[in-house]
Amino acid sequence: MRLKILFFFILWTGLTGNGFAQKPFLRSFPLNERHVPVRVNVLLQDAVGFIYLGTENGLVRFNGRDFLPLTRDLKKPYEVLSLASWNGSVWAGTSRGEILKIYHHLGCRQVKTIKVSDSSVPIRCIVSGFPSKTVWLGTENGVFIIKDDTVRRHINNRNGLSDNFVYTICRMASEAIIGTDKGINIIDCSRPKAKIRVITTKNGLPDNIVRVIKRIPRTSRFWIGTQQSGIAIFNAERQKISSVFDVSSWQYGQVNDILPLNDRFAWVVTGKGYLLAARIQDDGRISIQAFHYEGCKFRSLIIDQSGNLWCGTASGFCMLTAEYLKQIPLPAPYAFRKVTALAGRDAHSLWLAQDSTLYKVYFNNDSTGISYFDRLPGYISCMYKDAKGRLWVGTIRQGLFYLDRENRLVACAHAGVLKKSSILSISGANDHLWVSTLTGVYELSVPVSLTSFPRVLNVYQKNSGIGSNYVYQLMSDHQGRIWMATDGTGVCMWNGKEFIHWRNPDSLDSKVAYTMTEDARNNVWVGTFFKGIYTLNEDDLSHVKRVGGVTDANISAIAANKSGQVIAVFERCIDEWYPQSRAFRHFNFRMGLNIDSTSNALNCLTNDEAGNVYIPYQQGILIFTNQINHYSIRSFAHIDGVTAMLQPLKNSEVSYNRNFITINFEGINYTNPERLNYRFKLEGLSKEWIRTNDEFMTYPNLPPGHYTFKVQASLDDHFNQSSEDSFSFTIKAPFWRQYWFYALLAVIFAVLIIGLIKIRDHRQQKWIKLRSERMDFEYEHLKSQVNPHFLFNSLNTLINLIEENTASAVAYTERLSALYQNILIYKNSNLILIKDEIALLSAYLHVQQTRFGDGLKVNINIEEAVLASGKMIPMVLQMLIENAIKHNVVSVSQPLVIDILSKDKRIIVSNPLRPKINEDKGAGIALINIKKRYRLLTRQTVHYGEINGAFVVSLPIL
C-alpha cells in the first residue's frame, strides 16, 4: 500500500569529513516590530510562570508568545539590571538606583517605585527573603538591606567589605555569599554587626573578579563564575574552593550566568557566545561540553518548566533546546531525501543509509563528519543493531546482510528464501533474529560468534496467525515478545505460543499499522494509516486509546527515549509526547528552528545505547535526548486584569450600578504558544464551561451575588491536566436588597406594629374614656332633663298651655318629646354637624322660651359655611344654655340674652353674669365634662370664664 516509500534511486557516494559539532537549536525572538537590537541584561521566571526581561529600555514580560512592556508608562526610561521574585511581587533593580516593585492587586497589575539611595548607584543584584522579610541589594556602592520597602542598613568597605562593586549575592542559611571585584565576601547575617570573611586567589579562587555565584541544589556548595578564569566550586562548609576548571585551557570569555540543574550538572553562558554544559566528575574535576553561537554575547540564563533554556544577550532574547533536542549538521554527500535507514552504533556515531550506500556518521564535542563505508547491490530499507552490537542490513530484492568481525558486509546467502527477498523490518529477541518480508515473517537462529550463517527456524505468514504477509515493522518488547505492525490486520503480538490481535471495532479501528515502539512505562505505541496514534497498556491489552493532540494523521515513524518521551514523525512535523503532561510538544517550521521537513521513509529513525532518538531532517540529524529533569509542557492560565465599568477594581465588592465586568486573561506556554485553547465559566451564573480563542470576557448587567471566574488553558481541546486560575468577586445588591436594609425594614415594621398596637390601645383607652365622659355628660344632661324642678316646671307650663291654648300645648308636648328623643338618638355619637346641633337646640329652646317667654333670648349668628361643614360634640350648646339658665336670673324685666356666634374657627357662647342669690349645687361640673370630652377628640382646648361682666365659653370647631 505504501511500498513506494521504501524505494529510492542510487545516490552518488564519496568520502568526506567536516568540522561541524553537534549543538542545540537556537531561536531568536525580536523584542520590537522593527527588529531593532535591544540589550537584555537579566531574566527571571516568577511563580506564575511569566518570564521577565530586564532590558536597556525597561522591564518586559513574556508569556511565550507576546512581549508586554511594563515600564513604558513611567516618566523616566529605566534600564533594568537585576530581577527577583518574592512574596508574590517582582522586584526590578535599575541603573538609576531605584527598585520597581510589580505586584497584582485584585486582578490588576500595580507598579511601585522604591528609592534606594540619593547617589543613584546601579543595582546589580537582588536577593529576597533572608533574614525574614528583608531584601538584599548588591550595588556599585556596597550592599543595601531593605525591610518594609525602606532601606534599613548599608554595608560597604567601611564595614569590612573587600570591595564596593557587588556583582552577585547568594544565600545559605544565615549567611550571605557576595561576589565582588575583590573576591568572595561571606557575611554572617545573624549578627547585629556584620562579620565578613573574604575568599580571594590566595585561598584558591581562580580570579578575584567574581561575577556569578549560584548554589548547587540541596548542597552547601556553590558554582563560581569569574571574569577571566572560568568556573570553580566553592564549598561553604569548608570555606574553600574545592574544584577548579583548568584555567590554562579556558577560552570561552567571562562567565555571565550559571544555571545549576542538579548536584553535578549546570549550564553556563559566557560573553563570547558559548553555552557550556559543565559537569562535576566523580574525581571532583569539572568537564565542559561547549556549544558556540557566533555573535551571541550571552548575559543571562534561565530554564522554564518546559525545559527551554532562555538567554538574554547583548542584542536580544533567544531560546535554546539544549535540554531535549540537539542537531548534527551534515554536509554532502548527506542528502535528506535519499536517507532510507538509520542505526545506532555507539554514543558518538551511527550508521546512515542513503539508497544503497552505507555511511558512518561520527560526532563528538568538537566536530561532526560523515564518511563512506560500503555500497550494497540493493536499496537499503532497514537496519538493526542486535544485543551484541552486530549490524544487520535489509535491502529491497537483495535480501539480508550483516557486518562480520572483519567489518565487512556479508549476505546471508544460506538463509533460504531471504537471499533475494525485500526486507521491510528487522528485530531480535532471545538470541533470535526476526525478519519481515513481502511474503511473511522469518524467525532465525543466530550463532553467537557468527562463525556460521543464520538458520531459518520458522516462517509465519497470513495463514499462520498473523493475518497478513505485509508486516511493516517488527518490535521486541521488554518481555521478549514480538509485536508486528501489519497491513490489513492491524497490530498483532507473538508471545511464543500464539498470536494476539487488536483490530475489533471497539478498539483499533484502523487495519493498517505502520510503526510501533515501547515507552519507558512499558506501554506500546502504534502509528496507523490516517488514524493517528494509539497506546496499548500492558495491564489491559484489549484497551486501545487514541491520544489527543497530534498534529497530523499521516505518521511514518515512532520511537521512545529512556526518560519517557515518545517521538512521532509525521509528514509535516514531529511530535514529542510528555507522559506527565499528557500532551505533545510540536516541532515544525512555526517554531522557528528551521525544521520543516521529515522523511517519508517508514521507520527511518533509531536509538543509541543510551536511548536517545535520532531522526534525519533537511540539514542533518536531530537528536531527541534523554531529559535530566521531568519537565511539564502544560499551559498555565492567568487572569491579568479585572475592571468594572472599564475601571480597575478597588476591592472585590462591586456596587450594583457598576456591574459591567471585563476580565482579561492569557495563557502561558513556551512549547507551542500558537496552539492555545481556553475555556472558562462564571460560577454563580453558570456551571457550564465555554470554549474560546479570545483572551477576555465581558459580563454586562450581572445580577447581585457572589461569583468566581475560572479559566483554563490547554494545548489541545481535551484540557487534560490543564492549569486553572480564578478570581472571586461580589456584585453588591442595591441598598433596598441589602441584609441591613431588610433588618431595618423588620425593625421599622416591628416599631410600626408596636406603634399601631399602642395607638390602638391609646385610641381604645381614649374611646373608653370618651365613652365614659359621654356617659357622664349624658347622665348630667339626662339628670338635668329629669330634674324634678325641670319636670315640674315643664309640666306646669304644659298645664297652663292646656288651659289657655290647646294647640300650643300640643306643640309644646311635641317639642318636649323631641328633646328626650334627641338624647336617645345622639347618645352614642362623638361628633355632630353644627347645623344639626342647632336643629337639636331648637327643641330645647322652644321648651324653655315657652316657660320663660320674653325673659330668655338666644341670638344665633353662625356662618353658613361653618353650619354646613363644622362639627362639635352633640348637645353641648343645649347644656351651655341650660347652664346659663341654671346660674343666672331669668325674668321679663331682666331678660337673659345668650349669644351664639362663630369666630376664628370657634363657636362662642356668651351671656351676661347675673348670678342667682341661691345658686344651685354642682356648678361647673357640666363645663368640666365638656372640656374633658373635647380634650379626647382634639388638641384644641375649650376656654370659659368671665370676660367684661359676661360669662364666655369658646368651643373649637372640629
Side-chain angles (χ1 to χ4, degrees), residues 766-782:
K766 185 176 179 181
W767 181 83
I768 292 172
K769 194 171 183 180
L770 183 62
R771 182 181 178 188
S772 175
E773 294 293 337
R774 187 175 65 248
M775 290 177 65
D776 291 343
F777 178 82
E778 291 172 354
Y779 173 73
E780 290 296 329
H781 183 66
L782 182 61

Side-chain angles (χ1 to χ4, degrees), residues 155-166 175-188 194-205 207-210 213 224 234-236 238-241:
I155 302 173
N156 56 20
N157 52 11
R158 289 177 293 181
N159 308 104
L161 205 64
S162 64
D163 190 81
N164 284 342
F165 200 112
V166 176
E175 291 184 332
I177 303 175
I178 300 173
T180 72
D181 266 346
K182 294 182 180 180
I184 297 174
N185 291 251
I186 303 172
I187 301 178
D188 188 350
K195 181 180 179 181
I196 302 175
R197 300 188 303 276
V198 180
I199 306 293
T200 65
T201 54
K202 296 179 181 180
N203 308 102
L205 194 65
D207 186 355
N208 277 337
I209 302 178
V210 178
I213 301 176
I224 305 298
F234 173 65
N235 192 317
R238 300 179 181 178
Q239 297 289 298
K240 71 174 186 177
I241 304 299

Side-chain angles (χ1 to χ4, degrees), residues 261-317:
L261 294 187
N262 54 39
D263 58 353
R264 286 182 175 267
F265 181 82
W267 291 105
V268 182
V269 290
T270 72
K272 286 187 176 181
Y274 283 94
L275 172 69
L276 307 176
R279 192 178 303 274
I280 304 173
Q281 303 297 331
D282 293 337
D283 59 4
R285 293 184 300 173
I286 300 174
S287 66
I288 286 179
Q289 182 181 9
F291 307 104
H292 186 243
Y293 296 88
E294 189 67 33
C296 288
K297 297 180 180 180
F298 296 120
R299 299 177 65 87
S300 181
L301 177 66
I302 63 171
I303 188 169
D304 64 27
Q305 69 273 5
S306 302
N308 302 301
L309 293 180
W310 297 92
C311 298
T313 73
S315 58
F317 181 58

